[in-house]
Amino acid sequence: MTASKYAIGVDFGTLSGRAVIVDVANGKELATAVHDYSNEVIDEFLPGTDIRLDPDWALQDPNDYIEVFKNAIPAVLETSGVDPGDVIGVGIDFTACTMLPTKADGTPLSFLPEWRDNPHAWVKLWKHHAAQPEANQLNEIARLSGFGAILDRYGGKISSEWFFPKAWQILDEAPEVYAAADRLIEAADWVVWQLTGEETRNSCTAGYKAMWSKSEGFPPPAFFKALDPGLENIVDEKMKREIMPLGARAGGITSQAAGWTDLKEGTAVAVANVDAHVAVPAATVTDTARMVMIMGTSICHMVVGESEEIVPGMCGVVQDGILPDLPGFEAGQSCVGDHFQWFVENCVPESYENEARQKGLNIHELLEEKAAAQKPGESGLLALDWWNGNRSVLVDVDLTGMMLGMTLLTRPEEIYRALIEATAYGTRLIIETFNQNNVPIKELIATGGLPDRNKLLMQIYADVTGLPIYVPEATQIGALGSAMHGAVAAGAANRGYDSIVEASLKMARLRDESYQPNAENKALYDLLFKEYVTLHDYFGRGDNDVMKRLKELKSEVINS
Amino acid sequence: MTASKYAIGVDFGTLSGRAVIVDVANGKELATAVHDYSNEVIDEFLPGTDIRLDPDWALQDPNDYIEVFKNAIPAVLETSGVDPGDVIGVGIDFTACTMLPTKADGTPLSFLPEWRDNPHAWVKLWKHHAAQPEANQLNEIARLSGFGAILDRYGGKISSEWFFPKAWQILDEAPEVYAAADRLIEAADWVVWQLTGEETRNSCTAGYKAMWSKSEGFPPPAFFKALDPGLENIVDEKMKREIMPLGARAGGITSQAAGWTDLKEGTAVAVANVDAHVAVPAATVTDTARMVMIMGTSICHMVVGESEEIVPGMCGVVQDGILPDLPGFEAGQSCVGDHFQWFVENCVPESYENEARQKGLNIHELLEEKAAAQKPGESGLLALDWWNGNRSVLVDVDLTGMMLGMTLLTRPEEIYRALIEATAYGTRLIIETFNQNNVPIKELIATGGLPDRNKLLMQIYADVTGLPIYVPEATQIGALGSAMHGAVAAGAANRGYDSIVEASLKMARLRDESYQPNAENKALYDLLFKEYVTLHDYFGRGDNDVMKRLKELKSEVINS
């Protein structure tokens, strides 16, 4: 019997990067290491300057990503004791769209003294929202100039968070930076470039964030010209038309990257991937009808289908976007865990905090304990989960929260439970929308932070949707998924795998415990969901646009 | 110049009775005394027994009322140093409908050993809600048997709190008590009977609580027979057809009552009155177009008009019900201060409690301070003030609360302000309903607990309604109103007054400070009120009965 082989996954988050090293044979995690970005999220002053950023800005320093390679990879090698010669592949996943301008050799403009003081030279993080004017114009012009069908692949709207609004903002506000940028690139692809010396572009970010489709490619120059003549040739001038499928080998570790990481030169590196998408095979899903929910402050809903369908309100459909040779669908709820966090920060009385302290619980645990004693419908409350707008299926950031049914006897745990239920109704509506559009969903796999933190929430989701929910064994699901893609990049010839389906079969597992829907609760939630849908449509589909009018009035009053 | 003359008012509340002694010439308060009821509200066990009461019951002990006379009147005489010979009149006001069964001589059945263990022998307090089945039947049968027009004088529905549902509950559940009762009488009239030895009935409780009208009298025997043959002659058998106007002399203090109170035998006693109604002339209002709001946990809206109009959703219209020779209108919001109390008990975070302690404020004061910094519309929130149902104008106890516009940045003080604004919109809708039905309202006079506790609330009410709000000088407005009626019962010949209008002119005053509407805020609130009305009608008038369905489901779930 030969020695074990290993793969490393590196998951780049919003505040830190995490590396894991896993056994290729079974996915078992041997070591994990986290490295925090020293410049974190840059949203007040440009580092080392007194240049103040506008409120919607969110930048990062690309050097922080290199530091993750330099620190976290050696750390997992050392902790695990694995011989770098037994590491067959490396994969990475990243937040997206997180993008930056570079020179032709990959040097970020922000590294160059002549551009360092220009905010547009830095990485625009996924949650940089200052390109909203460009996004609004893009959506309007696309419809007017005959490119509306492209938008339909994205629920009807391109987000300000995505690639072209961000690129266009550079052109609008800093044309000199735009001109100096030889390349505009996802940070995901950029870090792979730093490891391999090869500029590659992956099908996931290209498809979900940059309007690329496998059959049609990028939108044509005429589309970009309609936005701004300066953008006409953006793809040919600043990007790449060759898009590589997930799991493909981007290249091998360079001698410089070997110095950073202690890995062997030539070790296979997979093309980049996105945190939510890479989680799908790591959650055991390589086929249709099983939806993966990455549940945290928000929920990403990921599923693959048989055929490329236009599903209203989804975030995107991309052939090869999640798994090879299948259309990947992404939908999302923009505010889930955030509801509960808002609630505990703003609405929980002191007596509950005291009770939690006495019982040695955190406040979420106390509320969960109290809320678990209620039956569906017992509170008489119903809420719309729109505290941060609605992504799927309405795609409307101007919607706001609603709750009704309160009486003088309503207790905090009832409100807390109503907020959980509201987010579950939101997920059910997304599932039903997929089902009605030829993308069937038969079971749910939940990962992210929430499944481990709130069992009541998981049971409510099972009861509301009527679907069983399974939970993957791995807690570092993104990093595992990246390591799996590293093993595929290495290939079976190098003791890895030739497909992500095989890798998933061997390296990913579910826990024994699962959440099965309770039929009695389901029947009650069917009644409540019907009420939810009526109110969802009344407030969300134009019967009464009171939420938008109030938001407009609010903005007028604040600015007056 | 002759010595001053004095009048005493006794205000019977839910937990205590308060006496004041005032100078008849100017209404100046010389002394006040409170006596707590030793049996308080009887809602668990019948006193001295282990007989348990059902949840909706609320009884009182008539002896507690006598104890108020015995303690509070001597106390104000002693504290003020007034010679009882200079007290020219006494008036009382009471909660209503608070009623009891007595023998022909006025002895409460609950005083008699043979009935003492029967809950139906005791006083049914205003908030005794166990006669709801009888109220429901009464409303249904009245419509079916051609007496629906009577209901129209009461906003379309007789409340379970009122006289005939309570009397009918006695007949239903304790026919032996009903049979043994020679009289069924408002506690208000009963205490006057105890002072004077004369059984009188006042126009206020007769009109607002017992379906009497000056022009038509009580409903005819056929009406009562349609309810239950046993009730056919209730008026002639257990009540009195002679109804006396407010301010009339019921009689003089008996020798026994003189012994209780230290008052002189023969001192004039006015016919009884109700706490909210007696407040009207004490708040300087003796003419049309000036609405008195008694603002506390709920709001009573009192106004007199030129003619007896049917105003949708009011609590009642009664000729002579508030002031002689004018139709008195009463409307109400069932939940006002209760909203804010619910909020501070259930929804204010520990950090706010700490801040309040540091600043030496109570939590309402801290929230008021923070909420006062906001402009109308700035929070983006809008609520329906239905945490305890809606009295006027929808008359629907099954409605519940609603709030919308919440975001992840919504703060507690914004919710607090939205609740205040919602109750102000409720009042504006009542005012507009009166205005649209030939009962014009031009200004507001606010009394009760809230005006002194929350200046922000008062300003919001002025801004929302667009009307100036004045506040009476007297804080014990009920007791002052009763003393004024005592002075009228004495008459000008005895150095009192011949009419409540004169008494009000001399004895009641407003403060100099008032709340004037701010035009800019009013314009913003006009926009928000329009949104309120749309939602009010959507949820309250049958477009979407989701609140009722949720309440029904809640009750099914709890009882399953």
Side-chain angles (χ1 to χ4, degrees):
Chain A
M1 173 161 174
T2 52
S4 294
K5 294 293 177 187
Y6 303 92
I8 288 176
V10 186
D11 170 52
F12 288 86
T14 298
L15 293 170
S16 64
R18 169 187 300 272
V20 300
I21 184 163
V22 303
D23 188 322
V24 168
N26 54 25
K28 200 186 141 212
E29 180 184 309
L30 279 80
T32 180
V34 175
H35 183 76
D36 294 330
Y37 305 153
S38 62
N39 276 316
E40 300 180 341
V41 176
I42 301 166
D43 53 9
E44 295 189 351
F45 292 94
L46 211 57
T49 75
D50 55 2
I51 298 169
R52 183 181 271 286
L53 301 176
D54 280 338
D56 285 339
W57 281 62
L59 306 180
Q60 285 197 322
D61 178 357
N63 189 55
D64 280 334
Y65 311 145
I66 302 299
E67 291 297 318
V68 171
F69 288 141
K70 288 183 181 173
N71 288 277
I73 293 181
V76 295
L77 287 170
E78 191 183 336
T79 308
S80 64
V82 166
D83 179 342
D86 289 328
V87 176
I88 61 168
V90 178
I92 73 99
D93 63 278
F94 221 102
T95 64
C97 163
T98 293
M99 57 84 77
L100 68 160
T102 75
K103 299 308 291 178
D105 66 356
T107 307
L109 293 193
S110 63
F111 284 6
L112 303 175
E114 63 268 37
W115 298 113
R116 196 159 174 78
D117 285 353
N118 191 317
H120 282 291
W122 294 67
V123 176
K124 287 189 168 61
L125 184 61
W126 65 274
K127 65 178 177 174
H128 175 91
H129 288 132
Q132 191 63 53
E134 286 79 7
N136 294 345
Q137 281 187 71
L138 185 156
N139 287 314
E140 198 184 329
I141 294 169
R143 292 273 173 222
L144 293 175
S145 52
F147 296 99
I150 300 178
L151 303 189
D152 293 339
R153 297 203 310 263
Y154 302 97
K157 271 184 202 163
I158 300 300
S159 161
S160 71
E161 291 182 2
W162 295 355
F163 194 87
F164 292 117
K166 279 174 168 156
W168 192 4
Q169 193 200 359
I170 300 176
L171 178 63
D172 267 349
E173 300 180 9
E176 67 286 8
V177 172
Y178 187 86
D182 298 319
R183 318 306 287 159
L184 293 172
I185 189 164
E186 282 278 349
D189 291 323
W190 182 79
V191 296
V192 168
W193 192 355
Q194 301 315 296
L195 288 180
T196 62
E198 305 279 343
E199 182 193 353
T200 57
R201 307 277 176 148
N202 74 83
S203 58
C204 180
T205 55
Y208 285 106
K209 310 299 177 187
M211 304 174 76
W212 171 85
S213 97
K214 194 176 184 179
S215 54
E216 298 176 25
F218 288 103
F223 167 78
F224 293 109
K225 191 178 176 188
L227 302 183
D228 187 312
L231 288 175
E232 180 173 5
N233 296 309
I234 183 170
V235 176
D236 292 316
E237 287 171 5
K238 316 272 186 191
M239 300 169 67
K240 239 184 139 164
R241 290 207 179 270
E242 185 197 349
I243 302 299
M244 294 179 73
L246 301 174
R249 186 178 186 280
I253 291 282
T254 61
S255 127
Q256 183 188 43
W260 294 341
T261 60
D262 297 343
L263 291 169
K264 293 274 182 202
E265 204 176 324
T267 305
V269 178
V271 297
N273 209 326
V274 174
D275 43 12
H277 303 68
V278 78
V280 172
T284 78
V285 173
T286 54
D287 50 5
T288 59
R290 300 173 70 218
M291 176 182 270
V292 176
M293 303 192 294
I294 296 117
M295 306 177 74
T297 55
S298 58
I299 298 184
C300 277
H301 303 79
M302 322 288 301
V303 65
V304 292
E306 297 286 351
S307 52
E308 209 170 317
E309 305 288 342
I310 298 302
V311 183
M314 68 192 155
C315 307
V317 51
V318 175
Q319 184 69 28
D320 294 10
I322 299 175
L323 292 167
D325 304 322
L326 288 172
F329 297 84
E330 182 188 348
Q333 284 173 277
S334 44
C335 180
V336 178
D338 278 348
H339 274 109
F340 320 135
Q341 196 54 35
W342 171 85
F343 180 74
V344 299
E345 283 171 11
N346 289 284
C347 307
V348 176
E350 185 166 46
S351 58
Y352 278 54
E353 302 284 356
N354 287 332
E355 188 179 342
R357 279 188 287 265
Q358 276 160 20
K359 291 186 170 173
L361 301 173
N362 73 38
I363 191 66
H364 285 285
E365 289 166 343
L366 179 76
L367 288 166
E368 182 187 346
E369 181 182 297
K370 287 177 182 282
Q374 301 161 38
K375 295 181 211 164
E378 188 176 330
S379 71
L381 298 178
L382 187 66
L384 292 174
D385 51 320
W386 298 347
W387 263 246
N388 194 23
N390 175 292
R391 173 65 221 195
S392 303
V393 297
L394 297 171
V395 199
D396 194 335
V397 295
D398 290 327
L399 297 174
T400 55
M402 196 280 315
M403 185 174 284
L404 58 76
M406 291 78 82
T407 73
L408 293 174
L409 298 177
T410 297
R411 305 286 293 148
E413 59 270 28
E414 295 177 312
I415 300 178
Y416 185 73
R417 185 175 172 124
L419 290 174
I420 293 176
E421 290 169 343
T423 65
Y425 302 142
T427 281
R428 175 164 168 180
L429 197 59
I430 289 169
I431 292 169
E432 293 199 348
T433 306
F434 275 118
N435 283 337
Q436 287 154 10
N437 288 279
N438 303 317
V439 185
I441 315 281
K442 300 260 164 58
E443 64 178 53
L444 303 174
I445 295 92
T447 180
L450 279 178
D452 278 336
R453 281 205 297 272
N454 198 323
K455 286 183 192 307
L456 170 65
L457 176 139
M458 298 305 296
Q459 188 58 50
I460 289 174
Y461 272 62
D463 292 345
V464 165
T465 60
L467 297 177
I469 308 182
Y470 301 92
V471 180
E473 205 171 85
T475 50
Q476 305 306 336
I477 196 89
L480 171 63
S482 287
M484 287 164 56
H485 282 83
V488 175
N494 296 300
R495 307 265 311 278
Y497 300 100
D498 280 340
S499 80
I500 193 68
V501 177
E502 285 169 64
S504 178
L505 206 62
K506 295 288 174 60
M507 297 175 75
R509 255 172 310 282
L510 297 176
R511 299 184 198 172
D512 291 336
E513 80 177 322
S514 67
Y515 299 89
Q516 299 296 324
N518 170 303
E520 197 183 320
N521 290 348
K522 169 68 163 50
L524 290 165
Y525 279 131
D526 283 349
L527 298 174
L528 292 164
F529 179 67
K530 203 176 143 199
E531 302 291 356
Y532 172 90
V533 170
T534 303
L535 291 167
H536 174 281
D537 291 352
Y538 176 72
F539 287 113
R541 297 198 194 269
D543 281 350
N544 185 349
D545 281 336
V546 55
M547 291 168 181
K548 291 161 195 247
R549 288 189 298 268
L550 290 176
K551 208 164 172 181
E552 220 167 279
L553 183 65
K554 173 181 181 165
S555 136
E556 280 168 28
V557 166
I558 289 173
N559 297 325
S560 72
Chain B
M1 169 153 179
T2 52
S4 294
K5 294 294 177 188
Y6 303 93
I8 288 176
V10 186
D11 170 52
F12 288 87
T14 298
L15 293 169
S16 64
R18 170 187 298 272
V20 300
I21 184 164
V22 303
D23 188 323
V24 169
N26 55 25
K28 201 186 140 211
E29 180 183 308
L30 278 80
T32 179
V34 175
H35 183 76
D36 294 331
Y37 305 152
S38 62
N39 276 315
E40 300 179 341
V41 176
I42 302 164
D43 53 8
E44 295 189 350
F45 293 95
L46 211 57
T49 75
D50 54 2
I51 298 168
R52 183 180 271 285
L53 301 176
D54 280 338
D56 285 339
W57 281 61
L59 306 180
Q60 286 196 322
D61 179 356
N63 189 55
D64 280 333
Y65 311 145
I66 302 298
E67 292 296 319
V68 171
F69 288 142
K70 287 183 181 174
N71 288 276
I73 293 181
V76 296
L77 287 171
E78 192 184 335
T79 307
S80 65
V82 165
D83 179 344
D86 289 327
V87 176
I88 60 169
V90 178
I92 72 100
D93 63 278
F94 221 103
T95 64
C97 162
T98 294
M99 57 85 77
L100 68 160
T102 74
K103 300 306 291 179
D105 65 356
T107 306
L109 292 193
S110 63
F111 285 6
L112 302 174
E114 63 268 36
W115 296 114
R116 196 159 174 80
D117 285 353
N118 191 315
H120 282 290
W122 294 67
V123 175
K124 287 188 167 61
L125 184 61
W126 65 273
K127 65 177 178 176
H128 175 90
H129 287 132
Q132 191 63 54
E134 286 80 6
N136 294 344
Q137 282 187 71
L138 186 155
N139 287 315
E140 198 183 332
I141 294 169
R143 292 271 173 223
L144 294 173
S145 51
F147 296 100
I150 300 179
L151 302 189
D152 294 338
R153 298 203 309 263
Y154 302 98
K157 272 184 202 161
I158 299 299
S159 162
S160 72
E161 291 182 2
W162 296 355
F163 194 86
F164 292 117
K166 280 174 167 156
W168 191 5
Q169 193 200 0
I170 301 176
L171 177 64
D172 268 349
E173 299 179 9
E176 67 287 5
V177 172
Y178 188 85
D182 298 319
R183 319 304 287 157
L184 294 171
I185 189 166
E186 282 279 348
D189 291 325
W190 182 81
V191 297
V192 168
W193 192 355
Q194 301 315 296
L195 289 180
T196 62
E198 307 278 343
E199 182 193 352
T200 58
R201 307 275 176 150
N202 74 83
S203 58
C204 179
T205 55
Y208 285 107
K209 309 299 176 185
M211 303 175 77
W212 171 85
S213 97
K214 194 176 185 179
S215 54
E216 298 175 25
F218 289 103
F223 167 78
F224 293 109
K225 191 180 176 187
L227 302 183
D228 187 313
L231 288 175
E232 181 173 5
N233 297 307
I234 183 171
V235 176
D236 291 317
E237 286 170 7
K238 316 273 186 191
M239 299 169 67
K240 241 185 138 163
R241 291 209 177 268
E242 185 197 349
I243 302 300
M244 293 180 72
L246 302 174
R249 187 178 186 280
I253 291 282
T254 62
S255 131
Q256 183 189 41
W260 294 342
T261 59
D262 298 344
L263 291 168
K264 293 276 182 203
E265 205 176 324
T267 305
V269 178
V271 297
N273 209 326
V274 174
D275 44 11
H277 304 68
V278 78
V280 173
T284 76
V285 173
T286 55
D287 49 6
T288 59
R290 299 174 69 218
M291 175 181 270
V292 176
M293 303 192 293
I294 295 118
M295 305 177 75
T297 55
S298 58
I299 298 184
C300 276
H301 304 79
M302 322 289 300
V303 64
V304 293
E306 297 287 350
S307 52
E308 211 170 316
E309 305 288 343
I310 298 302
V311 183
M314 71 193 152
C315 306
V317 51
V318 175
Q319 185 67 29
D320 294 10
I322 298 175
L323 293 168
D325 305 322
L326 289 171
F329 297 85
E330 181 187 348
Q333 284 173 277
S334 45
C335 181
V336 178
D338 278 348
H339 274 109
F340 320 135
Q341 196 55 35
W342 171 85
F343 180 74
V344 300
E345 283 171 10
N346 289 284
C347 307
V348 176
E350 186 166 45
S351 58
Y352 278 54
E353 303 284 356
N354 286 333
E355 188 179 343
R357 279 188 286 265
Q358 276 161 18
K359 292 185 169 173
L361 301 174
N362 73 39
I363 190 67
H364 285 285
E365 288 166 343
L366 179 75
L367 289 166
E368 183 188 345
E369 183 182 295
K370 287 176 182 283
Q374 301 160 38
K375 295 182 211 163
E378 187 176 330
S379 71
L381 298 177
L382 186 66
L384 292 174
D385 51 320
W386 299 346
W387 264 247
N388 194 24
N390 175 293
R391 174 65 221 195
S392 304
V393 300
L394 296 171
V395 199
D396 193 334
V397 295
D398 290 327
L399 297 173
T400 54
M402 195 281 313
M403 185 173 285
L404 58 76
M406 291 79 81
T407 74
L408 293 174
L409 298 176
T410 297
R411 306 286 291 148
E413 60 269 29
E414 295 178 311
I415 301 178
Y416 186 73
R417 185 174 173 124
L419 290 174
I420 294 176
E421 290 169 342
T423 65
Y425 302 142
T427 282
R428 175 164 167 180
L429 198 59
I430 289 169
I431 292 169
E432 293 199 348
T433 306
F434 274 118
N435 282 339
Q436 287 154 10
N437 287 278
N438 303 318
V439 184
I441 315 280
K442 300 262 165 58
E443 65 178 52
L444 303 174
I445 295 92
T447 180
L450 279 179
D452 278 337
R453 281 205 298 272
N454 199 322
K455 287 183 192 305
L456 170 66
L457 176 140
M458 298 306 295
Q459 188 58 50
I460 289 174
Y461 271 62
D463 292 344
V464 165
T465 60
L467 298 177
I469 308 183
Y470 301 93
V471 180
E473 205 171 86
T475 49
Q476 305 305 335
I477 195 90
L480 171 63
S482 286
M484 288 163 54
H485 282 85
V488 175
N494 295 300
R495 309 264 311 276
Y497 300 100
D498 281 340
S499 80
I500 193 68
V501 177
E502 284 170 63
S504 177
L505 205 62
K506 294 287 173 60
M507 297 175 74
R509 255 173 308 285
L510 298 176
R511 298 185 196 172
D512 290 336
E513 81 178 323
S514 67
Y515 300 89
Q516 299 296 324
N518 170 304
E520 196 183 320
N521 290 349
K522 169 68 164 51
L524 290 165
Y525 279 132
D526 283 349
L527 298 173
L528 292 164
F529 179 68
K530 204 177 143 198
E531 302 290 357
Y532 173 90
V533 171
T534 302
L535 292 167
H536 174 281
D537 292 352
Y538 176 71
F539 287 113
R541 298 198 194 270
D543 282 349
N544 185 350
D545 281 336
V546 55
M547 291 168 181
K548 290 159 196 247
R549 289 189 297 269
L550 290 176
K551 211 166 170 178
E552 222 168 277
L553 183 65
K554 172 181 182 165
S555 137
E556 279 167 30
V557 167
I558 289 172
N559 297 324
S560 73

